[in-house]
Amino acid sequence: MKQVPHAGKFACVRPQVEVRCSSSSVFIMAPPAQGPRYDYIVYIDESGDDGLKAVKPCTFPGSSEWLVLSAVVIRASNEPSVANWVNDIRSGFKSRQAKALHFADLSHPNKVRTCEKIAGMDLRCFVVASNKKNMQGYSNPDAGKIPSQCWFYCWMTRVLLERVTRFVLHRSLIDYGEPRCLRIEYSARGGLRYDQMNAYYEWLRMKRFKPFLPWGKLCFEVMHINLLRVYPHLEREGLQLADAVAAAFFKACDKHDTGACDPQFAKLLRDRMAREPDNHSGRISGFGVKLLPNFAKAGLDPDQAEIFRHYGYPGQWWDPEAFSE
């Protein structure tokens, strides 16, 4: 990927916040104040839920067995094109009455078309998929220290952004010889607040604690407090692309909320899934597609495991620098 302007570091500056409402939730956005120039944008969405009190199939009724987070990274120079990309996808649908692209509502042929189109776009995709069976009833003993009400979601975004920021830092060093900034956009969800997410990442930056497994580390060189946003799904076409990626992988491994597992949609995205390093021979498993817990401990049925085997599991990438600090 090739990039454009300049950066800044993630700084502890708490801006004013603006409260906005959607029909389903109240969320807080960063203000429209001028931030640093950025060269990349990442759109983040999820499929499934982060409930842990009761989890399928251990308990019925219960929360979804899976929480899948996705990230779609583009060059900032492509930002004006994203709306056209989504319109191009929808132009092939027989019915386009919906105001936004929402993967779960699409027919089978339209799901295929959506993933085929994304596979041809100038972007990179990342997925972190958590099978929550082993977490039923779990409460994080350190959750009280985390400045957020949705600690599990925050932690999942951390694992996701460890990969995204590594990729962005890698590309910007190659193209410019220095770190360049990443704009982070989240899809609005119940309980997600800008100030909580910002406080969480600032807490991580200040703590600099080491992960208990060598998964990766956040590259704060490409993050900045004024480049963190939360938007409604309808307002940002990039978030609609992230929704499609998350939902495609959710459909590939879920069998309790969406019917039988169907990995064909997620398989179509292979050419856009991120690799470490960013070349054809790089490993996708563990980087572009991260399974939690590991493949041996997840206890997946064969139909659930198919998509992860397709992307290279049980082998996976481990960050050689995770314990370097």
Side-chain angles (χ1 to χ4, degrees):
M1 292 178 71
K2 179 183 175 184
Q3 284 65 247
V4 274
H6 188 51
K9 291 198 175 182
F10 193 86
C12 185
V13 180
R14 188 174 298 280
Q16 298 293 317
V17 293
E18 173 189 355
V19 179
R20 299 187 57 185
C21 297
S22 71
S23 59
S24 59
S25 62
V26 176
F27 53 94
I28 298 182
M29 292 178 57
Q34 183 70 35
R37 297 177 68 180
Y38 54 91
D39 297 278
Y40 306 85
I41 306 169
V42 57
Y43 303 103
I44 297 175
D45 203 354
E46 84 278 349
S47 189
D49 62 74
D50 59 357
L52 299 176
K53 185 176 181 180
V55 178
K56 299 169 186 170
C58 304
T59 303
F60 287 94
S63 300
S64 61
E65 180 180 3
W66 295 89
L67 174 61
V68 177
L69 265 64
S70 69
V72 170
V73 180
I74 66 166
R75 301 185 309 228
S77 58
N78 278 331
E79 186 175 9
S81 302
V82 177
N84 291 333
W85 293 353
V86 173
N87 287 336
D88 179 52
I89 293 174
R90 296 177 67 241
S91 68
F93 298 169
K94 291 183 178 180
S95 173
R96 290 191 292 151
Q97 294 180 353
K99 294 181 179 180
L101 181 66
H102 194 264
F103 191 83
D105 296 335
L106 300 180
S107 66
H108 184 280
N110 288 344
K111 288 177 179 177
V112 171
R113 174 182 173 81
T114 298
C115 291
E116 287 178 340
K117 284 288 187 178
I118 292 175
M121 294 175 181
D122 183 15
L123 49 77
R124 290 291 185 274
C125 300
F126 298 77
V127 162
V128 175
S130 173
N131 184 280
K132 301 185 297 174
K133 291 194 303 288
N134 69 329
M135 296 185 71
Q136 177 169 272
Y138 176 75
S139 61
N140 187 341
D142 296 321
K145 303 176 184 178
I146 298 175
S148 174
Q149 296 174 0
C150 47
W151 69 267
F152 182 51
Y153 177 83
C154 285
W155 185 79
M156 286 281 288
T157 65
R158 174 200 169 174
V159 178
L160 185 68
L161 285 174
E162 284 172 350
R163 284 142 184 77
V164 170
T165 58
R166 182 185 178 93
F167 169 75
V168 169
L169 179 61
H170 171 76
R171 291 307 315 166
S172 58
L173 289 176
I174 289 176
D175 292 338
Y176 296 101
E178 64 180 5
R180 296 294 179 95
C181 263
L182 171 70
R183 177 182 168 100
I184 302 173
E185 298 192 7
Y186 291 94
S187 181
R189 63 191 296 274
L192 178 61
R193 293 168 47 189
Y194 161 79
D195 57 343
Q196 288 188 355
M197 295 302 296
N198 168 60
Y200 175 63
Y201 292 124
E202 177 58 18
W203 180 72
L204 289 176
R205 187 187 72 84
M206 296 297 293
K207 296 288 289 184
R208 295 284 191 184
F209 62 78
K210 298 174 182 178
F212 60 90
L213 285 176
W215 291 341
K217 63 179 182 179
L218 284 166
C219 298
F220 287 101
E221 302 95 317
V222 301
M223 298 174 71
H224 194 285
I225 189 174
N226 291 336
L227 292 176
L228 176 64
R229 299 289 190 272
V230 180
Y231 287 106
H233 178 88
L234 283 170
E235 288 187 9
R236 306 293 287 178
E237 286 83 359
L239 293 175
Q240 296 169 36
L241 296 177
D243 164 82
V245 174
F249 274 84
F250 188 82
K251 182 59 182 170
C253 55
D254 173 67
K255 59 196 304 182
H256 301 294
D257 289 293
T258 61
C261 297
D262 190 347
Q264 65 174 305
F265 312 117
K267 287 181 178 181
L268 290 172
L269 298 171
R270 186 178 181 89
D271 287 347
R272 295 300 91 193
M273 301 309 298
R275 298 171 178 268
E276 171 53 40
D278 188 33
N279 59 49
H280 185 71
S281 62
R283 188 184 288 275
I284 297 176
S285 57
F287 190 71
V289 177
K290 175 61 180 174
L291 171 65
L292 300 171
N294 64 40
F295 193 80
K297 293 181 179 179
L300 305 182
D301 293 338
D303 51 350
Q304 294 177 309
E306 181 180 348
I307 189 60
F308 299 104
R309 290 189 181 279
H310 174 79
Y311 280 105
Y313 278 93
Q316 67 170 309
W317 171 82
W318 299 98
D319 185 0
E321 301 176 359
F323 291 114
S324 64
E325 293 187 355

Coordinates of all heavy atoms in Angstrom, one line a residue, residues 222-268:
V222 N 1.8 5.4 15.5 CA 0.9 5.7 14.4 C -0.5 6.1 15.0 O -1.4 6.3 14.2 CB 0.8 4.6 13.4 CG1 2.1 4.3 12.8 CG2 0.2 3.3 14.0
M223 N -0.6 6.2 16.3 CA -1.9 6.5 16.9 C -1.9 8.0 17.5 O -0.9 8.4 17.9 CB -2.3 5.5 18.0 CG -2.4 4.1 17.5 SD -2.6 2.9 18.9 CE -4.3 3.3 19.4
H224 N -3.1 8.6 17.4 CA -3.2 10.0 18.0 C -4.6 10.1 18.5 O -5.6 9.7 17.9 CB -3.0 11.0 16.9 CG -2.8 12.4 17.4 ND1 -3.8 13.2 17.9 CD2 -1.6 13.1 17.6 CE1 -3.3 14.3 18.3 NE2 -2.0 14.3 18.1
I225 N -4.7 10.8 19.7 CA -6.0 10.9 20.4 C -7.0 11.6 19.6 O -8.2 11.3 19.7 CB -5.7 11.7 21.7 CG1 -7.0 11.6 22.6 CG2 -5.3 13.1 21.5 CD1 -6.8 12.2 24.0
N226 N -6.6 12.6 18.7 CA -7.6 13.3 18.0 C -8.0 12.6 16.7 O -8.7 13.2 15.8 CB -7.1 14.7 17.7 CG -7.0 15.6 18.9 OD1 -7.8 15.3 19.9 ND2 -6.2 16.6 18.9
L227 N -7.6 11.4 16.5 CA -7.9 10.6 15.3 C -8.7 9.4 15.7 O -8.7 8.4 14.9 CB -6.7 10.2 14.5 CG -5.9 11.4 13.8 CD1 -4.7 10.9 13.2 CD2 -6.8 12.1 12.8
L228 N -9.4 9.4 16.8 CA -10.3 8.3 17.2 C -11.8 8.8 17.1 O -12.1 9.9 17.7 CB -10.0 8.0 18.7 CG -10.8 6.9 19.3 CD1 -10.7 5.6 18.6 CD2 -10.4 6.8 20.8
R229 N -12.6 8.1 16.4 CA -14.0 8.5 16.2 C -14.9 7.3 16.4 O -14.6 6.1 16.2 CB -14.2 9.0 14.8 CG -13.4 10.2 14.4 CD -13.9 11.5 15.2 NE -13.3 12.7 14.7 CZ -12.2 13.2 15.1 NH1 -11.5 12.6 16.1 NH2 -11.7 14.4 14.7
V230 N -16.2 7.6 16.7 CA -17.3 6.6 16.7 C -18.4 7.2 15.9 O -18.9 8.3 16.1 CB -17.8 6.4 18.2 CG1 -18.9 5.4 18.2 CG2 -16.6 5.9 19.1
Y231 N -18.9 6.3 14.9 CA -19.9 6.8 14.0 C -21.0 5.8 13.9 O -20.8 4.6 14.0 CB -19.3 7.0 12.6 CG -18.4 8.2 12.4 CD1 -17.1 8.0 12.3 CD2 -19.0 9.4 12.3 CE1 -16.2 9.1 12.1 CE2 -18.2 10.5 12.1 CZ -16.8 10.4 12.0 OH -16.0 11.5 11.8
P232 N -22.2 6.2 13.6 CA -23.3 5.3 13.2 C -23.0 4.5 11.9 O -22.3 5.1 11.0 CB -24.5 6.2 13.0 CG -24.2 7.5 13.7 CD -22.7 7.6 13.6
H233 N -23.4 3.3 11.8 CA -23.1 2.5 10.7 C -23.6 3.1 9.4 O -22.9 3.0 8.3 CB -23.9 1.1 10.9 CG -23.8 0.2 9.8 ND1 -22.7 -0.8 9.7 CD2 -24.6 -0.1 8.7 CE1 -22.9 -1.5 8.6 NE2 -24.0 -1.1 8.0
L234 N -24.7 3.8 9.4 CA -25.3 4.4 8.2 C -24.4 5.5 7.7 O -24.5 5.8 6.5 CB -26.7 5.0 8.5 CG -27.8 4.0 8.6 CD1 -29.1 4.6 9.1 CD2 -28.1 3.4 7.2
E235 N -23.7 6.2 8.5 CA -23.0 7.4 8.1 C -21.6 7.2 7.4 O -21.1 8.0 6.7 CB -22.7 8.3 9.3 CG -23.9 9.0 9.9 CD -23.6 10.0 11.0 OE1 -22.4 10.3 11.2 OE2 -24.5 10.5 11.6
R236 N -21.1 6.0 7.5 CA -19.7 5.7 7.0 C -19.7 4.4 6.2 O -19.9 3.3 6.7 CB -18.7 5.6 8.2 CG -18.7 6.8 9.1 CD -18.2 8.1 8.5 NE -16.8 8.0 8.2 CZ -16.1 9.0 7.7 NH1 -16.8 10.1 7.2 NH2 -14.8 9.0 7.5
E237 N -19.5 4.6 4.9 CA -19.5 3.4 4.0 C -18.3 2.5 4.4 O -18.4 1.3 4.2 CB -19.4 3.8 2.6 CG -20.6 4.4 2.0 CD -20.8 5.9 2.3 OE1 -19.9 6.5 3.0 OE2 -21.8 6.5 1.8
G238 N -17.2 3.0 4.9 CA -16.1 2.2 5.3 C -16.5 1.2 6.4 O -16.1 0.1 6.5
L239 N -17.4 1.7 7.3 CA -17.9 0.8 8.4 C -18.8 -0.3 7.8 O -18.9 -1.4 8.4 CB -18.6 1.6 9.4 CG -17.8 2.6 10.3 CD1 -18.7 3.4 11.2 CD2 -16.7 1.8 11.1
Q240 N -19.4 0.0 6.7 CA -20.3 -1.0 6.1 C -19.4 -2.1 5.5 O -19.8 -3.3 5.5 CB -21.2 -0.4 5.1 CG -22.2 0.6 5.7 CD -22.9 1.4 4.6 OE1 -23.2 1.0 3.6 NE2 -23.2 2.7 5.0
L241 N -18.2 -1.8 5.0 CA -17.3 -2.8 4.5 C -16.8 -3.6 5.6 O -16.7 -4.9 5.5 CB -16.1 -2.1 3.8 CG -16.4 -1.3 2.5 CD1 -15.2 -0.7 2.0 CD2 -17.1 -2.3 1.4
A242 N -16.5 -3.0 6.8 CA -16.0 -3.7 8.0 C -17.1 -4.7 8.5 O -16.9 -5.8 8.9 CB -15.6 -2.8 9.1
D243 N -18.4 -4.2 8.4 CA -19.5 -5.1 8.8 C -19.6 -6.3 7.9 O -19.8 -7.4 8.4 CB -20.8 -4.3 8.6 CG -22.1 -5.2 8.6 OD1 -22.5 -5.5 9.7 OD2 -22.6 -5.5 7.6
A244 N -19.3 -6.2 6.6 CA -19.4 -7.3 5.7 C -18.3 -8.3 6.1 O -18.5 -9.5 6.1 CB -19.2 -6.9 4.3
V245 N -17.1 -7.8 6.4 CA -16.0 -8.7 6.7 C -16.3 -9.5 8.0 O -16.1 -10.7 8.1 CB -14.7 -7.9 6.8 CG1 -13.5 -8.8 7.3 CG2 -14.3 -7.3 5.5
A246 N -16.7 -8.7 9.1 CA -17.0 -9.4 10.3 C -18.1 -10.4 10.2 O -18.0 -11.5 10.7 CB -17.4 -8.3 11.4
A247 N -19.2 -10.0 9.5 CA -20.3 -10.9 9.4 C -20.0 -12.2 8.5 O -20.5 -13.3 8.8 CB -21.5 -10.2 8.8
A248 N -19.1 -12.0 7.5 CA -18.7 -13.1 6.7 C -18.0 -14.2 7.5 O -18.2 -15.4 7.4 CB -17.9 -12.7 5.5
F249 N -17.1 -13.7 8.4 CA -16.4 -14.6 9.3 C -17.3 -15.2 10.4 O -17.1 -16.4 10.8 CB -15.2 -14.0 9.9 CG -14.0 -14.1 9.0 CD1 -13.8 -13.1 7.9 CD2 -13.0 -15.1 9.1 CE1 -12.7 -13.2 7.1 CE2 -11.9 -15.2 8.3 CZ -11.7 -14.2 7.2
F250 N -18.2 -14.4 10.9 CA -19.2 -14.9 11.9 C -20.0 -16.0 11.3 O -20.2 -17.1 11.9 CB -20.1 -13.8 12.3 CG -21.0 -14.1 13.5 CD1 -20.5 -14.1 14.8 CD2 -22.3 -14.5 13.3 CE1 -21.3 -14.4 15.9 CE2 -23.1 -14.9 14.4 CZ -22.6 -14.8 15.7
K251 N -20.5 -15.9 10.0 CA -21.2 -16.9 9.4 C -20.4 -18.1 9.1 O -20.9 -19.3 9.1 CB -21.8 -16.4 8.0 CG -22.6 -17.3 7.3 CD -23.8 -17.8 8.1 CE -24.7 -18.8 7.3 NZ -25.7 -19.4 8.2
A252 N -19.1 -18.0 9.0 CA -18.2 -19.1 8.7 C -18.1 -20.0 9.9 O -17.9 -21.2 9.8 CB -16.8 -18.6 8.3
C253 N -18.2 -19.5 11.1 CA -17.9 -20.3 12.3 C -19.1 -20.4 13.3 O -19.1 -21.2 14.2 CB -16.7 -19.8 13.1 SG -16.8 -18.0 13.5
D254 N -20.2 -19.6 13.1 CA -21.3 -19.7 14.0 C -22.3 -20.7 13.5 O -22.5 -20.9 12.3 CB -22.0 -18.3 14.0 CG -23.3 -18.4 14.8 OD1 -23.3 -18.6 16.0 OD2 -24.4 -18.2 14.2
K255 N -22.9 -21.4 14.4 CA -23.9 -22.4 14.1 C -25.1 -22.4 15.0 O -26.0 -23.3 14.9 CB -23.3 -23.8 14.1 CG -22.7 -24.2 15.4 CD -21.7 -25.4 15.3 CE -22.4 -26.6 14.7 NZ -21.4 -27.8 14.7
H256 N -25.2 -21.4 15.8 CA -26.3 -21.3 16.8 C -27.2 -20.1 16.6 O -28.3 -20.1 17.0 CB -25.8 -21.3 18.2 CG -24.9 -22.5 18.6 ND1 -25.5 -23.7 18.6 CD2 -23.6 -22.6 18.8 CE1 -24.5 -24.6 18.9 NE2 -23.4 -24.0 19.1
D257 N -26.7 -19.0 15.9 CA -27.5 -17.8 15.7 C -27.8 -17.6 14.2 O -28.8 -16.9 13.9 CB -26.8 -16.6 16.3 CG -26.7 -16.6 17.8 OD1 -27.8 -16.5 18.4 OD2 -25.6 -16.8 18.4
T258 N -27.1 -18.2 13.3 CA -27.3 -17.9 11.9 C -27.5 -19.2 11.1 O -27.4 -19.1 9.9 CB -26.1 -17.1 11.3 OG1 -24.9 -17.9 11.5 CG2 -25.9 -15.8 12.0
G259 N -27.7 -20.3 11.7 CA -27.8 -21.5 11.0 C -26.5 -22.2 10.8 O -25.5 -21.9 11.5
A260 N -26.4 -23.1 9.9 CA -25.2 -23.9 9.7 C -24.0 -23.0 9.3 O -24.2 -22.0 8.6 CB -25.4 -25.0 8.6
C261 N -22.8 -23.4 9.7 CA -21.6 -22.7 9.3 C -21.5 -22.7 7.7 O -21.8 -23.7 7.1 CB -20.3 -23.4 9.8 SG -20.2 -23.4 11.6
D262 N -21.1 -21.6 7.2 CA -20.9 -21.4 5.8 C -19.7 -20.6 5.5 O -19.8 -19.3 5.6 CB -22.2 -20.8 5.1 CG -22.1 -20.8 3.6 OD1 -21.0 -21.2 3.1 OD2 -23.1 -20.5 2.9
P263 N -18.5 -21.2 5.3 CA -17.3 -20.5 5.1 C -17.0 -19.8 3.8 O -16.0 -19.2 3.6 CB -16.2 -21.5 5.5 CG -16.8 -22.8 4.9 CD -18.3 -22.7 5.2
Q264 N -17.9 -20.1 2.8 CA -17.6 -19.6 1.4 C -17.4 -18.1 1.3 O -16.5 -17.7 0.6 CB -18.6 -20.1 0.5 CG -20.0 -19.5 0.6 CD -21.0 -19.9 -0.5 OE1 -20.7 -19.7 -1.7 NE2 -22.1 -20.5 -0.1
F265 N -18.1 -17.3 2.1 CA -18.0 -15.9 1.9 C -16.7 -15.4 2.5 O -16.0 -14.6 1.8 CB -19.2 -15.2 2.7 CG -20.5 -15.8 2.4 CD1 -21.3 -16.4 3.4 CD2 -21.0 -15.8 1.1 CE1 -22.5 -16.9 3.1 CE2 -22.2 -16.3 0.8 CZ -23.0 -16.9 1.8
A266 N -16.3 -15.9 3.7 CA -15.0 -15.5 4.2 C -13.8 -16.0 3.4 O -12.8 -15.3 3.3 CB -14.9 -16.0 5.7
K267 N -14.0 -17.1 2.8 CA -12.9 -17.6 1.9 C -12.7 -16.7 0.7 O -11.5 -16.6 0.2 CB -13.2 -19.0 1.4 CG -13.1 -20.1 2.5 CD -13.4 -21.5 1.9 CE -13.3 -22.6 3.0 NZ -13.6 -23.9 2.4
L268 N -13.7 -16.1 0.2 CA -13.6 -15.2 -0.9 C -12.7 -14.0 -0.6 O -12.3 -13.3 -1.5 CB -15.0 -14.7 -1.4 CG -15.9 -15.8 -2.0 CD1 -17.3 -15.2 -2.3 CD2 -15.3 -16.2 -3.4

